[in-house]
Amino acid sequence: MAAPDTIQVFVPLKVRKKNGRPKILPPADYLPSEDNTQDPHILRAIGRAWAWRRRMEAGEFGTVRDLAIAVNLAERHVSRQLRLAYLAPEVLKRLVFRREVSAVTVMQLTECAFLSWHEQAGVVFGETNLLSRP
């Protein structure tokens, strides 16, 4: 049971295997943004991060290193991507359900997890610039 100050967000993404690798699929009623500028990598990365988080919370892996070995990716990459599972619920809702276009890359989005939930939306959707852009 979740603590009273905990917010749970369920992202309805499906995982299907293609060529032996998992592929993250958006909800059946998903429609691409009208201007087609939304980065599909962001939805995939969020779905993957949530799948990894669930597997770790279920006790399937004791450490990020164990998970990285299992998914055959660098530990640093897995650790960075896992941050996407801890984005503010409002940011997740705007990205996944409203399909709002992000003003940042997937890499920059992972950095947003270190910001307060209040600051994240401003950065992700280009309302404020708190991240250093390469």
Side-chain angles (χ1 to χ4, degrees):
M1 198 157 162
D5 61 342
T6 302
I7 296 174
Q8 292 184 339
V9 176
F10 296 97
V11 180
L13 299 176
K14 293 182 181 180
V15 178
R16 178 182 69 164
K17 288 205 174 188
K18 183 174 183 178
N19 297 328
R21 297 192 66 175
K23 180 175 177 152
I24 308 296
L25 301 172
D29 62 348
Y30 170 81
L31 298 173
S33 59
E34 290 179 20
D35 58 3
N36 293 321
T37 60
Q38 184 177 16
D39 185 355
H41 297 99
I42 288 177
L43 284 178
R44 278 190 231 121
I46 290 170
R48 185 174 39 247
W50 274 92
W52 290 346
R53 178 180 172 175
R54 283 192 299 274
R55 292 175 74 181
M56 291 200 65
E57 289 174 347
E60 189 175 337
F61 303 104
T63 65
V64 173
R65 187 179 198 291
D66 295 339
L67 171 61
I69 291 167
V71 297
N72 199 29
L73 292 170
E75 182 179 355
R76 183 175 177 189
H77 175 77
V78 171
S79 178
R80 183 178 293 126
Q81 292 282 306
L82 268 171
R83 297 177 198 162
L84 297 175
Y86 297 93
L87 289 171
E90 180 62 26
V91 170
L92 290 172
K93 185 178 5 173
R94 288 174 68 179
L95 286 171
V96 177
F97 297 109
R98 294 185 193 156
R99 296 175 306 279
E100 291 184 35
V101 177
S102 172
V104 296
T105 64
V106 174
M107 180 73 82
Q108 291 167 330
L109 189 59
T110 64
E111 294 174 28
C112 288
F114 293 118
L115 300 173
S116 71
W117 281 2
H118 178 72
E119 295 172 319
Q120 286 179 16
V123 173
V124 172
F125 301 104
E127 298 152 7
T128 58
N129 185 12
L130 299 176
L131 296 178
S132 59
R133 294 214 165 112

